[in-house]
Protein backbone atom coordinates (compact mmCIF):
# COMPACT_ATOMS: atom_id res chain seq x y z
CA UNK A 1 0.00 0.00 0.00
CA UNK A 2 1.19 3.54 -0.78
CA UNK A 3 2.90 4.97 2.34
CA UNK A 4 1.11 8.35 2.07
CA UNK A 5 -2.28 6.62 1.69
CA UNK A 6 -1.58 4.48 4.74
CA UNK A 7 -0.67 7.54 6.81
CA UNK A 8 -3.86 9.30 5.66
CA UNK A 9 -6.02 6.34 6.70
CA UNK A 10 -4.27 6.15 10.07
CA UNK A 11 -4.74 9.90 10.64
CA UNK A 12 -8.47 9.67 9.85
CA UNK A 13 -8.88 6.70 12.21
CA UNK A 14 -7.17 8.58 15.07
CA UNK A 15 -9.28 11.68 14.50
CA UNK A 16 -12.48 9.63 14.41
CA UNK A 17 -11.54 7.76 17.59
CA UNK A 18 -10.72 10.96 19.45
CA UNK A 19 -13.96 12.54 18.35
CA UNK A 20 -15.90 9.56 19.66
CA UNK A 21 -14.05 9.58 22.98
CA UNK A 22 -14.74 13.24 23.62
CA UNK A 23 -18.48 13.08 22.98
CA UNK A 24 -20.57 13.50 26.13
CA UNK A 25 -22.72 10.37 26.51
CA UNK A 26 -26.31 10.78 27.65
CA UNK A 27 -27.10 10.27 31.33
CA UNK A 28 -23.47 10.24 32.50
CA UNK A 29 -24.01 13.16 34.84
CA UNK A 30 -26.37 12.33 37.69
CA UNK A 31 -27.29 13.57 41.13
CA UNK A 32 -26.38 10.89 43.67
CA UNK A 33 -26.30 11.02 47.46
CA UNK A 34 -22.60 11.91 47.60
CA UNK A 35 -23.11 14.94 45.37
CA UNK A 36 -26.35 15.78 47.19
CA UNK A 37 -24.51 15.98 50.51
CA UNK A 38 -21.89 18.22 48.93
CA UNK A 39 -24.48 20.53 47.42
CA UNK A 40 -26.51 20.66 50.64
CA UNK A 41 -23.56 22.23 52.44
CA UNK A 42 -23.67 25.31 50.19
CA UNK A 43 -27.11 26.68 51.21
CA UNK A 44 -26.82 25.22 54.72
CA UNK A 45 -23.72 27.33 55.25
CA UNK A 46 -25.42 30.54 54.16
CA UNK A 47 -29.17 30.66 54.88
CA UNK A 48 -28.44 31.82 58.43
CA UNK A 49 -25.42 33.92 57.50
CA UNK A 50 -26.44 37.61 57.41
CA UNK A 51 -23.18 39.03 56.05
CA UNK A 52 -22.03 39.90 53.48
CA UNK A 53 -25.40 41.11 52.21
CA UNK A 54 -26.44 42.95 49.05
CA UNK A 55 -29.49 44.99 49.99
CA UNK A 56 -32.29 45.84 47.57
CA UNK A 57 -33.99 47.96 50.22
CA UNK A 58 -35.25 51.48 49.40
CA UNK A 59 -35.31 53.90 52.32
CA UNK A 60 -37.97 56.61 52.34
CA UNK A 61 -37.49 57.77 55.94
CA UNK A 62 -34.93 57.22 58.70
CA UNK A 63 -37.12 54.65 60.45
CA UNK A 64 -36.82 52.39 57.38
CA UNK A 65 -33.13 51.78 58.09
CA UNK A 66 -32.55 48.30 59.53
CA UNK A 67 -30.28 45.28 59.26
CA UNK A 68 -31.22 42.39 56.96
CA UNK A 69 -32.30 40.14 59.83
CA UNK A 70 -34.75 42.78 61.01
CA UNK A 71 -36.23 43.46 57.59
CA UNK A 72 -36.25 39.84 56.42
CA UNK A 73 -36.16 37.47 59.38
CA UNK A 74 -36.95 34.43 57.23
CA UNK A 75 -34.75 35.15 54.20
CA UNK A 76 -31.78 37.25 55.30
CA UNK A 77 -28.86 34.97 54.43
CA UNK A 78 -26.99 33.89 51.30
CA UNK A 79 -25.93 37.43 50.26
CA UNK A 80 -29.40 38.59 49.09
CA UNK A 81 -33.09 37.87 49.57
CA UNK A 82 -33.75 35.80 46.48
CA UNK A 83 -30.67 33.63 47.08
CA UNK A 84 -31.86 32.98 50.63
CA UNK A 85 -35.24 31.93 49.26
CA UNK A 86 -33.86 29.55 46.66
CA UNK A 87 -31.30 28.29 49.17
CA UNK A 88 -34.29 27.06 51.17
CA UNK A 89 -35.70 25.52 47.97
CA UNK A 90 -32.41 23.64 47.49
CA UNK A 91 -32.51 22.17 50.97
CA UNK A 92 -36.16 21.18 50.63
CA UNK A 93 -35.54 19.53 47.27
CA UNK A 94 -32.51 17.65 48.57
CA UNK A 95 -34.31 16.41 51.70
CA UNK A 96 -37.28 15.38 49.59
CA UNK A 97 -35.08 13.49 47.12
CA UNK A 98 -32.54 12.06 49.58
CA UNK A 99 -34.23 11.56 52.98
CA UNK A 100 -31.03 10.10 54.48
CA UNK A 101 -28.80 13.11 53.88
CA UNK A 102 -25.95 13.26 56.39
CA UNK A 103 -27.17 16.56 57.82
CA UNK A 104 -30.90 16.00 57.37
CA UNK A 105 -31.84 16.95 60.93
CA UNK A 106 -29.58 20.00 60.88
CA UNK A 107 -31.26 21.10 57.65
CA UNK A 108 -34.74 20.68 59.12
CA UNK A 109 -33.72 22.67 62.19
CA UNK A 110 -32.30 25.49 60.07
CA UNK A 111 -35.46 25.76 57.95
CA UNK A 112 -37.58 25.55 61.09
CA UNK A 113 -35.76 28.51 62.62
CA UNK A 114 -36.38 30.68 59.57
CA UNK A 115 -39.85 29.73 58.34
CA UNK A 116 -42.07 30.63 61.28
CA UNK A 117 -45.42 32.39 61.37
CA UNK A 118 -43.89 35.46 63.01
CA UNK A 119 -41.07 35.70 60.48
CA UNK A 120 -43.32 35.30 57.46
CA UNK A 121 -45.74 37.89 58.83
CA UNK A 122 -42.84 40.35 58.99
CA UNK A 123 -41.75 39.40 55.47
CA UNK A 124 -45.27 40.14 54.24
CA UNK A 125 -45.40 43.42 56.15
CA UNK A 126 -42.21 44.55 54.40
CA UNK A 127 -44.13 44.90 51.13
CA UNK A 128 -46.16 47.74 52.67
CA UNK A 129 -43.31 49.41 54.55
CA UNK A 130 -43.34 52.22 51.99
CA UNK A 131 -44.44 52.68 48.38
CA UNK A 132 -41.04 51.54 47.10
CA UNK A 133 -40.95 48.20 48.90
CA UNK A 134 -44.21 47.10 47.28
CA UNK A 135 -42.29 45.97 44.17
CA UNK A 136 -39.40 44.37 46.08
CA UNK A 137 -37.81 41.46 44.16
CA UNK A 138 -40.24 41.74 41.24
CA UNK A 139 -40.39 39.19 39.62
CA UNK A 140 -37.25 37.08 40.18
CA UNK A 141 -37.57 36.73 43.94
CA UNK A 142 -41.33 36.32 43.62
CA UNK A 143 -40.80 33.39 41.25
CA UNK A 144 -38.39 31.63 43.59
CA UNK A 145 -40.74 32.03 46.57
CA UNK A 146 -43.48 30.32 44.57
CA UNK A 147 -41.05 27.60 43.45
CA UNK A 148 -40.14 26.95 47.10
CA UNK A 149 -43.82 26.70 48.01
CA UNK A 150 -44.55 24.39 45.07
CA UNK A 151 -41.78 22.05 46.24
CA UNK A 152 -43.22 21.98 49.75
CA UNK A 153 -46.78 21.48 48.49
CA UNK A 154 -45.82 18.35 46.56
CA UNK A 155 -43.87 16.74 49.44
CA UNK A 156 -45.77 14.33 51.66
CA UNK A 157 -43.91 15.23 54.83
CA UNK A 158 -45.29 16.78 58.06
CA UNK A 159 -42.62 19.47 58.24
CA UNK A 160 -43.09 20.32 54.57
CA UNK A 161 -46.84 20.72 54.94
CA UNK A 162 -46.39 22.88 58.03
CA UNK A 163 -43.88 25.12 56.24
CA UNK A 164 -46.16 25.35 53.21
CA UNK A 165 -49.10 26.45 55.34
CA UNK A 166 -46.94 29.09 57.03
CA UNK A 167 -45.92 30.41 53.60
CA UNK A 168 -49.42 30.26 52.14
CA UNK A 169 -50.39 33.90 52.96
CA UNK A 170 -47.11 35.03 51.40
CA UNK A 171 -47.86 32.99 48.26
CA UNK A 172 -51.28 34.57 48.01
CA UNK A 173 -49.75 38.04 48.29
CA UNK A 174 -47.24 37.29 45.53
CA UNK A 175 -49.94 35.78 43.31
CA UNK A 176 -52.03 38.95 43.70
CA UNK A 177 -48.98 41.07 42.88
CA UNK A 178 -48.40 39.15 39.65
CA UNK A 179 -52.04 39.57 38.67
CA UNK A 180 -51.89 43.30 39.41
CA UNK A 181 -48.55 43.86 37.68
CA UNK A 182 -48.72 41.82 34.47
CA UNK A 183 -51.51 43.80 32.75
CA UNK A 184 -49.43 46.95 33.23
CA UNK A 185 -46.32 45.49 31.60
CA UNK A 186 -46.60 46.62 27.98
CA UNK A 187 -43.33 45.06 26.79
CA UNK A 188 -41.52 41.98 28.11
CA UNK A 189 -38.07 42.41 29.65
CA UNK A 190 -35.63 40.44 27.51
CA UNK A 191 -32.40 40.44 29.52
CA UNK A 192 -30.27 37.64 30.91
CA UNK A 193 -30.52 38.68 34.55
CA UNK A 194 -33.08 38.95 37.35
CA UNK A 195 -35.77 41.01 35.64
CA UNK A 196 -36.23 38.61 32.70
CA UNK A 197 -39.99 38.37 32.20
CA UNK A 198 -40.06 34.86 30.73
CA UNK A 199 -38.27 33.38 33.74
CA UNK A 200 -40.63 35.09 36.18
CA UNK A 201 -43.62 33.79 34.26
CA UNK A 202 -42.26 30.26 33.91
CA UNK A 203 -41.72 29.48 37.59
CA UNK A 204 -44.92 31.22 38.63
CA UNK A 205 -46.85 29.20 36.03
CA UNK A 206 -45.46 25.94 37.45
CA UNK A 207 -46.69 26.94 40.90
CA UNK A 208 -50.09 28.08 39.66
CA UNK A 209 -50.70 24.84 37.75
CA UNK A 210 -49.57 22.69 40.66
CA UNK A 211 -51.70 24.27 43.39
CA UNK A 212 -54.52 25.14 40.96
CA UNK A 213 -54.29 28.92 41.27
CA UNK A 214 -56.45 29.34 38.15
CA UNK A 215 -56.47 33.15 38.18
CA UNK A 216 -52.68 33.28 38.16
CA UNK A 217 -52.22 30.56 35.55
CA UNK A 218 -54.77 32.18 33.22
CA UNK A 219 -53.11 35.56 33.56
CA UNK A 220 -49.65 34.15 32.83
CA UNK A 221 -50.85 32.12 29.86
CA UNK A 222 -52.49 35.16 28.28
CA UNK A 223 -49.60 37.55 28.90
CA UNK A 224 -47.00 35.06 27.65
CA UNK A 225 -48.91 34.78 24.38
CA UNK A 226 -49.29 38.56 24.20
CA UNK A 227 -45.55 39.03 24.68
CA UNK A 228 -44.08 36.22 22.60
CA UNK A 229 -46.49 34.54 20.16
CA UNK A 230 -45.33 36.61 17.17
CA UNK A 231 -41.60 36.34 17.91
CA UNK A 232 -39.40 34.80 15.24
CA UNK A 233 -35.69 34.34 14.64
CA UNK A 234 -34.40 34.77 18.18
CA UNK A 235 -30.70 35.76 17.79
CA UNK A 236 -29.10 33.01 19.86
CA UNK A 237 -25.71 33.90 18.39
CA UNK A 238 -25.87 37.20 20.31
CA UNK A 239 -25.83 35.29 23.58
CA UNK A 240 -24.44 35.38 26.14
CA UNK A 241 -23.99 38.90 27.33
CA UNK A 242 -21.19 39.31 29.85
CA UNK A 243 -23.29 38.98 33.02
CA UNK A 244 -26.06 36.62 31.89
CA UNK A 245 -27.27 33.82 34.12
CA UNK A 246 -30.42 33.32 32.04
CA UNK A 247 -30.74 32.88 28.29
CA UNK A 248 -33.32 35.33 26.88
CA UNK A 249 -34.03 33.01 23.92
CA UNK A 250 -34.24 29.77 25.89
CA UNK A 251 -36.27 31.24 28.75
CA UNK A 252 -38.83 32.51 26.27
CA UNK A 253 -38.95 29.11 24.65
CA UNK A 254 -39.41 27.51 28.08
CA UNK A 255 -42.51 29.50 29.01
CA UNK A 256 -44.05 29.05 25.57
CA UNK A 257 -43.52 25.28 25.82
CA UNK A 258 -45.62 25.38 28.99
CA UNK A 259 -48.49 27.59 27.83
CA UNK A 260 -48.99 26.35 24.26
CA UNK A 261 -50.45 23.00 23.16
CA UNK A 262 -47.68 20.68 21.97
CA UNK A 263 -48.47 21.00 18.26
CA UNK A 264 -48.73 24.78 18.48
CA UNK A 265 -45.43 24.96 20.36
CA UNK A 266 -43.69 22.85 17.71
CA UNK A 267 -44.93 25.20 14.99
CA UNK A 268 -43.98 28.30 16.99
CA UNK A 269 -40.50 26.97 17.84
CA UNK A 270 -39.75 26.11 14.20
CA UNK A 271 -39.61 29.81 13.32
CA UNK A 272 -38.43 31.10 16.69
CA UNK A 273 -35.19 29.26 17.33
CA UNK A 274 -32.73 26.85 15.73
CA UNK A 275 -30.51 25.12 18.30
CA UNK A 276 -27.43 23.03 17.56
CA UNK A 277 -24.14 22.24 19.26
CA UNK A 278 -22.19 24.68 17.13
CA UNK A 279 -24.46 27.58 18.08
CA UNK A 280 -24.64 26.83 21.81
CA UNK A 281 -21.41 26.24 23.69
CA UNK A 282 -20.95 26.50 27.48
CA UNK A 283 -20.09 29.98 28.69
CA UNK A 284 -16.60 30.58 30.10
CA UNK A 285 -15.86 32.28 33.44
CA UNK A 286 -12.41 33.77 33.94
CA UNK A 287 -12.81 35.10 37.48
CA UNK A 288 -15.17 33.33 39.87
CA UNK A 289 -14.50 35.83 42.64
CA UNK A 290 -16.30 38.45 40.55
CA UNK A 291 -19.98 38.32 41.47
CA UNK A 292 -21.09 39.40 38.01
CA UNK A 293 -18.75 37.33 35.86
CA UNK A 294 -19.61 34.15 37.79
CA UNK A 295 -23.19 34.58 36.54
CA UNK A 296 -22.08 32.67 33.45
CA UNK A 297 -21.77 29.42 35.41
CA UNK A 298 -25.43 29.90 36.32
CA UNK A 299 -26.21 30.43 32.64
CA UNK A 300 -24.81 27.01 31.83
CA UNK A 301 -27.18 25.43 34.36
CA UNK A 302 -30.26 27.43 33.30
CA UNK A 303 -29.63 26.64 29.65
CA UNK A 304 -29.57 22.96 30.60
CA UNK A 305 -32.93 23.10 32.38
CA UNK A 306 -34.51 24.79 29.37
CA UNK A 307 -33.13 22.18 26.96
CA UNK A 308 -33.86 18.93 28.82
CA UNK A 309 -37.67 19.06 28.31
CA UNK A 310 -37.47 19.33 24.51
CA UNK A 311 -38.78 15.90 23.49
CA UNK A 312 -38.18 16.23 19.76
CA UNK A 313 -34.60 15.53 18.66
CA UNK A 314 -34.01 14.47 22.27
CA UNK A 315 -30.54 13.04 21.66
CA UNK A 316 -29.14 16.33 20.37
CA UNK A 317 -30.74 18.57 22.98
CA UNK A 318 -29.82 16.32 25.88
CA UNK A 319 -26.20 16.21 24.74
CA UNK A 320 -26.05 20.00 24.69
CA UNK A 321 -27.74 20.21 28.10
CA UNK A 322 -25.39 17.61 29.60
CA UNK A 323 -22.40 19.45 28.20
CA UNK A 324 -23.52 22.69 29.87
CA UNK A 325 -24.33 21.04 33.20
CA UNK A 326 -21.04 19.14 33.30
CA UNK A 327 -18.97 22.14 32.29
CA UNK A 328 -19.77 24.16 35.42
CA UNK A 329 -20.69 21.45 37.93
CA UNK A 330 -17.23 20.93 39.40
CA UNK A 331 -16.62 24.68 39.64
CA UNK A 332 -19.39 25.75 42.02
CA UNK A 333 -17.58 24.76 45.24
CA UNK A 334 -14.49 26.86 44.63
CA UNK A 335 -14.38 28.46 48.06
CA UNK A 336 -15.57 31.87 46.91
CA UNK A 337 -18.87 33.11 48.32
CA UNK A 338 -19.77 34.96 45.12
CA UNK A 339 -20.61 31.67 43.44
CA UNK A 340 -21.17 29.35 46.36
CA UNK A 341 -24.12 31.26 47.81
CA UNK A 342 -26.36 30.51 44.80
CA UNK A 343 -24.92 28.30 42.07
CA UNK A 344 -25.79 25.03 43.80
CA UNK A 345 -29.49 25.89 43.42
CA UNK A 346 -29.15 26.36 39.68
CA UNK A 347 -27.30 23.05 39.31
CA UNK A 348 -29.95 21.28 41.39
CA UNK A 349 -32.82 22.68 39.37
CA UNK A 350 -31.12 21.45 36.18
CA UNK A 351 -30.83 18.00 37.76
CA UNK A 352 -34.48 18.13 38.82
CA UNK A 353 -35.70 18.94 35.30
CA UNK A 354 -33.41 16.28 33.82
CA UNK A 355 -34.81 13.65 36.18
CA UNK A 356 -38.38 14.47 35.15
CA UNK A 357 -37.85 13.81 31.45
Amino acid sequence: MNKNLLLSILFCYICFSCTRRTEIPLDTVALDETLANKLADLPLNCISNPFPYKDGHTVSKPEDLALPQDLHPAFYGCFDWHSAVHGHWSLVYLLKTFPKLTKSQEIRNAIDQNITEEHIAREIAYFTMNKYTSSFERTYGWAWLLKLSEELYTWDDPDAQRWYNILKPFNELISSKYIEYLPKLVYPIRVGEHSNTAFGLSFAFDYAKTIKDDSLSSMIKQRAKDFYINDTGCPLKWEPSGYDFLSPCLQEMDIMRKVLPKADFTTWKSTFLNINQSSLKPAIVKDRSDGKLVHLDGLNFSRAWCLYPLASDKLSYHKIADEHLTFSLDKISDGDYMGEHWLGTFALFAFKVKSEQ
Side-chain angles (χ1 to χ4, degrees):
M1 182 180 290
N2 180 281
K3 182 179 179 180
N4 290 335
L5 178 60
L6 179 63
L7 288 173
S8 296
I9 293 172
L10 180 62
F11 177 77
C12 290
Y13 173 79
I14 292 171
C15 289
F16 177 73
S17 299
C18 291
T19 300
R20 291 189 65 182
R21 282 197 298 268
T22 57
E23 285 181 355
I24 299 175
L26 288 178
D27 301 321
T28 56
V29 54
L31 180 63
D32 58 19
E33 193 158 328
T34 299
L35 180 56
N37 277 306
K38 179 180 177 182
L39 293 178
D41 280 338
L42 298 177
L44 187 59
N45 291 339
C46 76
I47 63 167
S48 299
N49 181 17
F51 301 108
Y53 188 81
K54 183 179 183 294
D55 204 347
H57 178 51
T58 301
V59 177
S60 67
K61 54 188 181 300
E63 303 91 273
D64 291 346
L65 287 169
L67 290 173
Q69 281 173 288
D70 297 321
L71 295 172
H72 303 292
F75 305 119
Y76 60 85
C78 297
F79 193 71
D80 48 41
W81 192 86
H82 52 259
S83 297
V85 172
H86 66 59
H88 285 73
W89 174 86
S90 294
L91 294 173
V92 167
Y93 176 68
L94 286 168
L95 277 178
K96 183 178 177 181
T97 310
F98 300 95
K100 296 182 180 180
L101 281 177
T102 302
K103 298 180 180 178
S104 59
Q105 191 56 54
E106 183 180 346
I107 291 170
R108 287 181 185 271
N109 292 342
I111 298 174
D112 233 9
Q113 289 175 7
N114 287 350
I115 299 181
T116 69
E117 290 184 3
E118 179 187 355
H119 289 172
I120 297 306
R122 286 165 62 188
E123 293 278 2
I124 292 171
Y126 178 81
F127 283 80
T128 56
M129 174 179 281
N130 60 51
K131 70 176 184 178
Y132 306 105
T133 61
S134 65
S135 60
F136 179 67
E137 287 282 352
R138 187 179 71 192
T139 58
Y140 184 74
W142 297 3
W144 273 114
L145 182 78
L146 297 184
K147 182 58 70 178
L148 167 62
S149 296
E150 178 194 3
E151 203 66 58
L152 291 169
Y153 181 83
T154 55
W155 185 15
D156 184 15
D157 176 271
D159 283 340
Q161 293 308 302
R162 179 166 51 82
W163 295 327
Y164 172 79
N165 285 324
I166 291 172
L167 285 171
K168 190 174 180 181
F170 206 175
N171 303 335
E172 291 169 352
L173 172 68
I174 295 303
S175 176
S176 69
K177 284 188 168 293
Y178 265 105
I179 291 169
E180 177 187 10
Y181 168 65
L182 288 176
K184 301 176 185 178
L185 186 64
V186 179
Y187 313 105
I189 301 164
R190 304 174 186 271
V191 299
E193 293 189 275
H194 306 84
S195 58
N196 181 280
T197 300
F199 172 84
L201 295 179
S202 186
F203 272 26
F205 189 71
D206 293 342
Y207 161 86
K209 294 290 286 184
T210 298
I211 73 150
K212 297 180 173 54
D213 184 341
D214 294 336
S215 296
L216 180 58
S217 61
S218 295
M219 173 64 74
I220 291 173
K221 185 179 292 188
Q222 183 57 56
R223 295 306 284 142
K225 292 177 182 178
D226 293 342
F227 292 144
Y228 305 125
I229 196 66
N230 294 318
D231 284 359
T232 59
C234 197
L236 192 60
K237 65 181 180 181
W238 290 1
E239 298 184 21
S241 294
Y243 299 157
D244 283 358
F245 61 85
L246 300 169
S247 162
C249 287
L250 296 187
Q251 289 297 329
E252 179 174 338
M253 185 183 65
D254 196 50
I255 182 59
M256 294 302 276
R257 174 183 62 82
K258 294 174 181 179
V259 303
L260 292 178
K262 185 175 180 180
D264 292 349
F265 172 71
T266 300
T267 300
W268 176 85
K269 178 183 169 295
S270 67
T271 60
F272 175 70
L273 190 61
N274 179 36
I275 305 168
N276 56 64
Q277 285 181 290
S278 64
S279 66
L280 203 62
K281 294 292 186 182
I284 297 169
V285 179
K286 291 195 172 182
D287 181 2
R288 289 190 168 79
S289 67
D290 187 306
K292 283 289 192 177
L293 295 178
V294 79
H295 276 183
L296 293 167
D297 277 327
L299 174 68
N300 290 332
F301 298 136
S302 65
R303 279 178 170 178
W305 81 52
C306 290
L307 290 169
Y308 281 128
L310 299 178
S312 62
D313 197 17
K314 182 176 181 179
L315 182 69
S316 175
Y317 288 147
H318 276 221
K319 280 185 176 181
I320 299 171
D322 276 350
E323 182 182 12
H324 279 71
L325 178 54
T326 306
F327 187 86
S328 286
L329 187 59
D330 64 345
K331 303 175 178 68
I332 61 179
S333 299
D334 62 357
D336 197 286
Y337 200 59
M338 286 296 93
E340 287 193 345
H341 79 270
W342 70 281
L343 282 172
T345 295
F346 271 51
L348 283 171
F349 193 72
F351 276 121
K352 175 180 169 66
V353 175
K354 178 182 172 73
S355 71
E356 294 171 345
Q357 305 315 307

